[in-house]
Amino acid sequence: MSDEATPAAGVPPTPDRDGHFAARIAEGVKLYGEGETAVRALDGVSMTFPAGQFTAIMGPSGSGKSTLMQCMAGLDRLTGGHTWLGETEITALDEKRLTQVRRDKVGFVFQAYNLVPTLTVEENITLPLDIAGRKVDRSWFDQVVDAVRMRDRLHHRPSELSGGQQQRAAAARALVARPEIVFADEPTGALDSRSGAELLAFLRRAVDEFGQTVVIVTHDPNAASHADRVLFLNDGHIVDEMEAPTAERVLDRMKTLGAQ
Amino acid sequence: MTWRLALRDLWSSKLRLFLTGLSVVLGVAFVAGTFVLTDTINRAFDTVFSDANANTAVVVQSEEEIGQTREPLPAALLGRVQAVPGVQAAQGGVFGLAGIIGSDGKAVTTGGAPTLAGAWGTVAELNPFTLREGGPPTAPDDVVIDVSTAREEGFRVGDRIGIIPPSGRPEQFRVSGTAGFGDEDNLAGATAVLFSLPTAQRLLGLEGRFSDIRVLAEPGVSEGVLAGRVQAVLPAGVEAITGQQNAADQSEQLQDQLSIIRTALLVFGFIALFVGAFIIFNSFSISIAQRTRSLALLRAVGASPGQVNRMVLLEALVVGVAASIVGIGAGVLIAIGLRELFGAFGGDLPQAGLQLNARTIIVSLALGIGVTLLAALRPAIRASRVSPVAALRDEAPQEAPRALRRRLVSVSVFAVGLAALLVGLFAEVPNRLVIIGASALVLFVGISMLSTEIARPLARIIGAPFARLSVTGKLGRENAMRNPYRTAQTASALMIGLALVGLATIFAASLSASVKDTIEKRFDVSVVLRNEQFQPFSPAVAAALAREPGVGLVSQWRLGQFKQGRTTRDIAASDPAGIPQVWDLGVTSGAVAALRAPDTIMVSDDLASDQGLRVGSTIPARFARTGDTTLRVVGTYSETTFGDVLTGIGTYDRNFSPPRQDFLVFARPAPGATEAQVVEAGRRVEEQFPNVISQTKSEYVADVERQVNQLLNLVFILLGFAIIIAIFGIVNTLALSVFERTREIGLLRAVGLGRRQVRAMVRYESIIVSVLGGLLGLVIGVALGTLVVSRVPDVPVLSIPVGSLVVFLLLAAVAGVLAALGPARRASRLDILKAIQAE
């Protein structure tokens, strides 16, 4: 695919099976720096994340994939364009509302340092609910905790967990508030392959069994192969899209991206 | 290369540098300011006295000085001195104390400075006063007053004003002129009234006598030679000293009083520095922990432990030097400010250039740099022990080495401090105060070390309500608990401040309660007459009171001093017949009535047991008037309101020269009269004598309480320095902790913690730390206060004002809120992306 293949401005986003969007971005532009030295991290990106889908965003380093995720998750602001989380346009929200949106509509899993070291695993998992002052739905909590197999670790501190356990706890935290969408930024980046596979299997289950929307940013073709759909990003553009990916096909596509 | 790294590390953490340095700056500023202020005042008085007495070649006075008073000279001596060859002129001086009735009809107050009175010197060269307006006093009812008083009270030449002499009743005088002391408008806030010689002698009870004789030399005759010649014609017990010596003596007397203030201020300065040392220690410890990896890298690429150690100490040296220099500058500013403050309260100090002596600079630098280096020593050693492997480890190491050894050391330090303090308080040792001070320092260090053991559980308890309240409360509490060493060290600074606040509060409350208890239980009187500043007043007051209807017994009390060997002792006197009626002195042997016999005393049980005295014993005593005498003990007593030595008024009057003044007068109703009548009588006497106030027992107690509280407030202000430093310490630690937790805060923000909640989290942590320090401090303060009160016999009643202590704890919490302002702001503004991408 060539650079001209960027989806045109104003193209209506494709609806999902039920016609719902978990998240959407239109004409997203993100500039870093100013004037001559400005870097266009996102260069007019438009796309949708249908509800109940597992999407992977891939691309070489500096392609803008993390920036895309951060802007869509309300961690960062677009320089131009619009983003929505569910029905809410978050582009112009003030800091306070944005924080609320993150708290209520988004779950996060980062590459590392996902847990607050002073809190127990259980407290970490319920943290978003506690921050919001919402009640914990115990049966849902139990379901999630069992799904990530953390039941016997609930009263441990993060420092007593392995890396894989920490990431699974983070995933549980991301799900427990029933967010519209879970964003995971290189969730397996710091894990060995077995732990990584476990985590991805859990995220897959979250989509299949709980109907959760999950978006992961990764450069690992194996990780991407767990997704329903893979988006390829390069130089701030979406350059390709792949349904029902396999690790081999993704790897091939990445090779050609890298060659460009 | 060590230098360059040290400086670069410092520069890269400017905030830490600033906050750490600030704690040293404040302490040094306090010390330097004290020196500059007192040196400046001393210098000013030196100049004033030597200028005012520039022409006085020789001063003739009684040799013996007891309690700053000298026996007057017979007037006949003047002729003899005048006849000495080389004497151009000689002038007999008369001085004492007399108040002025102000334009509002009340005595002019001086805030403790003396109300000088004397004879106007007719030999201009020998007169320290210089006329500013009008003429000298010539008529018997003429008076010259100091320019300051004239200005403040609006008195002009020709006005009639009332003067309160030491004996007799107030009299009216005509202002014939105004005068300054040398070039100054007054002498450090003192008022001055100057009369013609005969009037002064009459008013001051010095008829036929002089306080001193001042001599003007003929040209070419040196002071020393003339003093020798004058001495030759003087009787035994009278000395001739040079004018220079006299000026130095006068100045020294004032400086002695000033040196008490200096010592007191320096003590508070040292406390501030001591608290600052905790901040420095903490700041360096945290910084070393945070830099473990870069230090390890240094070691890995070949730096020796010694080099790492030196690098940290160099950092400390730079901080110490810079902060000390800034501190000295700030000290000069403080001195200027305080001098202006004195001026604003009417205590005009003579102007002189600010005195920044070499000693001030050396002491301040030595203290500032010394404290900084000493406090950084342990962190530096710890830094040098970082192993090169630590560079490869992922986790930041904890600041918790060898728990058992640490515990043993803490307990030992604490035990040594406590033992030394008990020895200082209860054993008979020389330099008691020094021992108590030093052991208190050790004790505080020990408690601070021990407090690391209880910081975590205490923080858990203190934070429990917050943790229940909200998730931010819980996070704040966990943060306060996560590093008990850091929390304890940070809280320690505040702990010391509040321990001293608690100690002072309990001592003051106990003092007030003791006075109240004594007055209520031991004194059976309707009114107390006294001077507002406890200065003595005319016996005419008692006489006037006795004439009032309804007044029965009037009991006059006088104070004096005598020397027993080299010790100057206070002696109180009253009519033996009245003493047991107004005062239950707790006679333990002998009888008050025996004081009617000449040269008899009663002594307190304390003094009796110290010196092995009992009824029938004698002690040698030297009085200014009567010289060496022997006093016979006729009884002992336990209640020490009036000190350790009590005598009859007859013995007193025999041994002290006029003017004999009272300092307290008690009165009781006549048979058939009511208390109210006596109170009324007191009011009427008050009106006749503007320098005297009449109070009931409860008014008197309230007044004492007010004065004790004023003093307490002053102590609070001085301790405020140490507390401000402690608050900076909390700010410092919080700022460093926030920096350290950048990623964690970013994570919390990402999962939905709002800015306001981040601020609340930091605030909760700060409150927990400060309340922890406050709580520990107050507990220690109560313990120390109880110990001290139990040791001081004059304070028999222990009073622990729980209400005040609770208020202090709340204030500590407020301090925590204030300390959190900056760091919380910083934390809430962290860029989430940067925070979660850090490293």
Side-chain angles (χ1 to χ4, degrees):
Chain A
M1 232 185 202
S2 67
D3 284 352
E4 288 84 57
T6 313
V11 166
T14 30
D16 70 313
R17 323 183 256 256
D18 309 318
H20 286 122
F21 306 116
R24 182 150 74 93
I25 183 167
E27 288 299 293
V29 173
K30 179 68 182 178
L31 295 178
Y32 289 114
E34 279 175 12
E36 296 279 301
T37 57
V39 176
R40 287 181 97 80
L42 295 179
D43 194 5
V45 176
S46 296
M47 76 148 316
T48 58
F49 295 111
Q53 259 201 26
F54 190 156
T55 310
I57 303 173
M58 291 207 69
S61 296
S63 59
K65 57 185 192 299
S66 285
T67 304
L68 174 64
M69 189 213 87
Q70 284 157 1
C71 290
M72 297 205 66
L75 287 171
D76 203 352
R77 287 175 192 281
L78 286 175
T79 316
H82 305 271
T83 54
W84 289 262
L85 275 172
E87 302 298 311
T88 315
E89 183 179 351
I90 63 168
T91 326
L93 291 185
D94 62 14
E95 178 59 37
K96 197 174 163 187
R97 293 288 317 282
L98 204 56
T99 303
Q100 279 173 6
V101 165
R102 277 203 308 271
R103 196 181 68 196
D104 298 335
K105 294 187 188 278
V106 184
F108 287 101
V109 181
F110 299 107
Q111 178 173 2
Y113 210 88
N114 262 303
L115 304 178
V116 178
T118 48
L119 299 181
T120 63
V121 168
E122 175 167 5
E123 288 165 341
N124 264 293
I125 292 176
T126 59
L127 187 59
L129 294 172
D130 289 338
I131 292 173
R134 274 156 60 191
K135 270 191 79 81
V136 178
D137 175 347
R138 276 338 283 197
S139 70
W140 174 239
F141 174 85
D142 288 341
Q143 231 177 318
V144 170
V145 165
D146 287 333
V148 293
R149 293 187 290 105
M150 292 299 288
R151 163 103 16 224
D152 56 344
R153 291 280 185 276
L154 283 181
H155 299 293
H156 288 63
R157 299 267 165 152
S159 59
E160 298 163 320
L161 302 183
S162 72
Q165 289 170 328
Q166 289 189 22
Q167 290 303 82
R168 286 188 344 245
R173 183 196 59 214
L175 286 182
V176 81
R178 297 179 188 276
E180 299 247 1
I181 188 163
V182 171
F183 286 105
D185 190 359
E186 301 278 8
T188 59
L191 300 182
D192 60 76
S193 55
R194 212 183 117 235
S195 307
E198 259 179 15
L199 182 72
L200 290 163
F202 168 69
L203 290 176
R204 182 73 248 174
R205 273 183 69 195
V207 175
D208 295 342
E209 294 175 22
F210 308 141
Q212 182 66 59
T213 311
V214 174
V215 176
I216 69 169
V217 168
T218 183
H219 60 260
D220 175 7
N222 271 318
S225 68
H226 286 76
D228 297 318
R229 183 171 68 135
V230 180
L231 296 172
F232 294 94
L233 223 70
N234 201 11
D235 290 335
H237 301 280
I238 292 178
V239 291
D240 200 0
E241 202 179 311
M242 186 185 289
E243 300 278 340
T246 64
E248 290 75 28
R249 284 175 59 212
V250 172
L251 187 61
D252 285 346
R253 187 67 192 89
M254 284 297 285
K255 276 180 187 153
T256 57
L257 266 188
Q260 276 175 355
Chain B
M1 107 104 194
T2 322
W3 259 113
R4 236 186 20 238
L5 263 177
L7 289 177
R8 203 163 288 169
D9 272 339
L10 270 180
W11 192 243
S12 67
S13 47
K14 290 180 280 295
L15 178 75
R16 182 175 71 87
L17 179 68
F18 174 74
L19 287 169
T20 311
L22 205 56
S23 60
V24 185
V25 168
L26 283 177
V28 170
F30 203 125
V31 171
T34 301
F35 276 124
V36 171
L37 180 68
T38 49
D39 285 345
T40 303
I41 296 174
N42 279 347
R43 173 91 194 120
F45 281 125
D46 268 349
T47 315
V48 167
F49 281 115
S50 56
D51 284 358
N53 297 312
N55 297 315
T56 304
V58 175
V59 174
V60 176
Q61 62 189 14
S62 288
E63 231 165 32
E64 189 75 48
E65 182 184 29
I66 295 175
Q68 289 194 14
T69 55
R70 290 173 196 269
E71 189 60 15
L73 309 167
L77 266 187
L78 181 60
R80 257 202 261 175
V81 172
Q82 278 167 334
V84 171
V87 172
Q88 186 184 323
Q91 169 106 56
V94 166
F95 41 83
L97 300 174
I100 304 172
I101 299 176
S103 41
D104 58 355
K106 300 209 168 88
V108 173
T109 53
T110 56
T115 52
L116 303 173
W120 180 259
T122 49
V123 181
E125 294 91 335
L126 295 175
N127 190 347
F129 291 93
T130 46
L131 265 184
R132 296 285 180 83
E133 269 182 73
T138 45
D141 67 343
D142 277 353
V143 65
V144 165
I145 63 175
D146 67 276
V147 180
S148 291
T149 306
R151 192 174 47 226
E152 268 155 40
E153 297 293 331
F155 293 148
R156 291 157 186 280
V157 173
D159 282 357
R160 296 199 72 82
I161 63 168
I163 300 291
I164 309 157
S167 47
R169 310 176 66 90
E171 293 180 29
Q172 290 292 309
F173 286 85
R174 190 188 67 92
V175 177
S176 70
T178 62
F181 191 84
D183 292 334
E184 300 299 324
D185 285 355
N186 72 14
L187 191 57
T191 60
V193 285
L194 301 155
F195 310 92
S196 66
L197 181 62
T199 306
Q201 284 176 317
R202 176 181 65 80
L203 283 176
L204 301 174
L206 291 167
E207 286 99 335
R209 292 183 297 168
F210 292 129
S211 303
D212 67 6
I213 296 170
R214 286 165 185 266
V215 176
L216 181 66
E218 280 175 357
V221 184
S222 82
E223 288 192 358
V225 169
L226 194 58
R229 284 190 214 156
V230 172
Q231 184 71 66
V233 305
L234 297 176
V238 181
E239 62 181 5
I241 58 170
T242 61
Q244 229 175 354
Q245 180 63 46
N246 178 256
D249 287 352
Q250 282 187 21
S251 190
E252 196 182 318
Q253 255 183 24
L254 266 169
Q255 292 186 13
D256 278 350
Q257 291 171 20
L258 208 58
S259 82
I260 299 169
I261 299 174
R262 166 183 291 181
T263 308
L265 285 177
L266 281 179
V267 164
F268 287 99
F270 292 149
I271 292 171
L273 271 172
F274 182 61
V275 169
F278 277 81
I279 311 301
I280 296 162
F281 173 82
N282 207 21
S283 176
F284 272 88
S285 295
I286 296 174
S287 135
I288 296 303
Q290 289 181 353
R291 281 187 290 165
T292 300
R293 242 188 268 179
S294 70
L295 291 172
L297 190 65
L298 275 182
R299 293 275 288 108
V301 298
S304 71
Q307 277 174 315
V308 171
N309 186 319
R310 275 197 298 283
M311 193 188 87
V312 176
L313 286 181
L314 267 173
E315 269 187 56
L317 185 68
V318 173
V319 171
V321 170
S324 300
I325 291 171
V326 176
I328 292 171
V332 172
L333 294 181
I334 289 178
I336 294 173
L338 281 178
R339 194 168 62 164
E340 297 302 314
L341 203 65
F342 281 143
F345 282 103
D348 277 328
L349 296 171
Q351 292 298 316
L354 279 179
Q355 298 291 308
L356 183 57
N357 296 344
R359 185 261 281 113
T360 308
I361 295 174
I362 292 168
V363 170
S364 303
L365 280 178
L367 280 173
I369 297 170
V371 163
T372 314
L373 282 181
L374 217 60
L377 200 56
R378 257 201 74 74
I381 292 172
R382 199 174 293 165
S384 71
R385 288 197 187 138
V386 169
S387 81
V389 190
L392 310 173
R393 278 192 217 121
D394 198 31
E395 308 229 327
Q398 290 297 303
E399 304 157 34
R402 282 165 291 192
L404 179 67
R405 210 188 87 175
R406 199 194 150 85
R407 244 167 248 180
L408 279 177
V409 173
S410 315
V411 171
S412 317
V413 173
F414 172 76
V416 167
L418 185 62
L421 182 68
L422 291 176
V423 166
L425 276 175
F426 293 101
E428 287 305 320
V429 284
N431 296 330
R432 185 190 297 282
L433 287 177
V434 175
I435 291 179
I436 291 176
S439 58
L441 293 192
V442 177
L443 187 66
F444 278 130
V445 172
I447 292 171
S448 143
M449 291 167 80
L450 277 179
S451 68
T452 59
E453 305 290 334
I454 51 168
R456 196 189 286 265
L458 256 183
R460 184 193 304 279
I461 296 166
I462 294 169
F466 304 148
R468 203 156 306 145
L469 210 64
S470 65
V471 68
T472 50
K474 181 164 177 58
L475 287 166
R477 179 174 79 157
E478 297 301 326
N479 284 339
M481 284 165 60
R482 76 202 293 177
N483 194 333
Y485 296 88
R486 191 182 294 182
T487 297
Q489 296 303 339
T490 307
S492 286
L494 195 59
M495 170 193 87
I496 295 168
L498 277 181
L500 296 173
V501 165
L503 169 64
T505 305
I506 286 177
F507 190 81
S510 299
L511 186 60
S512 289
S514 298
V515 169
K516 182 173 181 193
D517 188 68
T518 306
I519 298 295
E520 279 172 0
K521 292 192 183 141
R522 297 286 190 156
F523 286 84
D524 183 12
V525 299
S526 307
V527 291
V528 184
L529 273 66
R530 65 177 178 95
N531 173 275
E532 205 142 5
Q533 283 149 10
F534 286 99
Q535 285 177 352
F537 51 85
S538 167
V541 172
L545 188 60
R547 278 193 300 273
E548 290 289 333
V551 174
L553 177 72
V554 172
S555 173
Q556 295 166 262
W557 288 82
R558 292 176 183 178
L559 265 188
Q561 278 156 339
F562 69 94
K563 273 188 178 165
Q564 181 189 6
R566 309 179 96 182
T567 318
T568 302
R569 288 197 182 284
D570 289 330
I571 183 167
S574 187
D575 178 8
I579 292 174
Q581 292 188 58
V582 294
W583 177 39
D584 172 12
L585 70 169
V587 175
T588 44
S589 68
V592 178
L595 286 177
R596 278 179 213 173
D599 288 348
T600 53
I601 53 170
M602 288 178 79
V603 295
S604 70
D605 291 335
D606 285 338
L607 186 64
S609 69
D610 276 358
Q611 303 199 348
L613 301 176
R614 51 200 150 75
V615 174
S617 308
T618 58
I619 62 166
R622 182 199 286 264
F623 291 94
R625 182 187 201 192
T626 48
D628 288 314
T629 319
T630 301
L631 296 174
R632 188 162 51 85
V633 177
V634 295
T636 55
Y637 59 93
S638 58
E639 211 283 299
T640 52
T641 299
F642 289 114
D644 290 324
V645 185
L646 182 64
T647 190
I649 206 139
T651 302
Y652 180 93
D653 287 357
R654 251 190 309 287
N655 288 300
F656 289 91
S657 293
R660 302 181 188 104
Q661 293 181 279
D662 299 333
F663 83 99
L664 279 179
V665 169
F666 299 121
R668 291 181 16 157
T674 61
E675 291 247 326
Q677 279 177 286
V678 183
V679 172
E680 265 311 299
R683 295 271 172 272
R684 284 193 292 274
V685 171
E686 219 176 33
E687 276 160 28
Q688 300 168 45
F689 296 89
N691 59 330
V692 169
I693 54 174
S694 171
Q695 295 179 308
T696 62
K697 282 205 298 190
S698 54
E699 284 167 345
Y700 178 84
V701 167
D703 230 27
V704 169
E705 273 174 2
R706 193 175 49 78
Q707 285 177 16
V708 168
N709 286 336
Q710 267 176 9
L711 208 62
L712 185 65
N713 287 337
L714 188 67
V715 170
F716 286 166
I717 291 172
L718 293 171
L719 284 176
F721 258 79
I723 290 170
I724 287 173
I725 291 174
I727 293 174
F728 280 131
I730 298 175
V731 176
N732 196 359
T733 306
L734 284 177
L736 290 170
S737 297
V738 164
F739 173 75
E740 199 174 68
R741 295 174 198 153
T742 301
R743 299 195 65 175
E744 187 179 324
I745 292 166
L747 171 71
L748 287 166
R749 293 278 286 121
V751 301
L753 203 65
R755 283 193 170 153
R756 197 192 282 260
Q757 286 173 303
V758 171
R759 282 201 294 273
M761 177 180 78
V762 177
R763 195 161 49 231
Y764 282 128
E765 178 181 0
S766 180
I767 292 174
I768 291 170
V769 171
S770 55
V771 169
L772 177 78
L775 198 63
L776 282 177
L778 290 176
V779 168
I780 295 161
V782 169
L784 287 181
T786 308
L787 268 180
V788 170
V789 167
S790 74
R791 177 63 185 87
V792 180
D794 290 342
V795 185
V797 182
L798 174 67
S799 164
I800 298 176
V802 178
S804 304
L805 297 181
V806 169
V807 169
F808 292 142
L809 203 57
L810 290 177
L811 286 178
V814 172
V817 172
L818 292 178
L821 284 179
R825 227 174 113 88
R826 229 173 124 95
S828 73
R829 300 227 162 151
L830 277 180
D831 184 340
I832 306 180
L833 287 177
K834 281 201 183 118
I836 57 181
Q837 283 166 352
E839 282 185 81

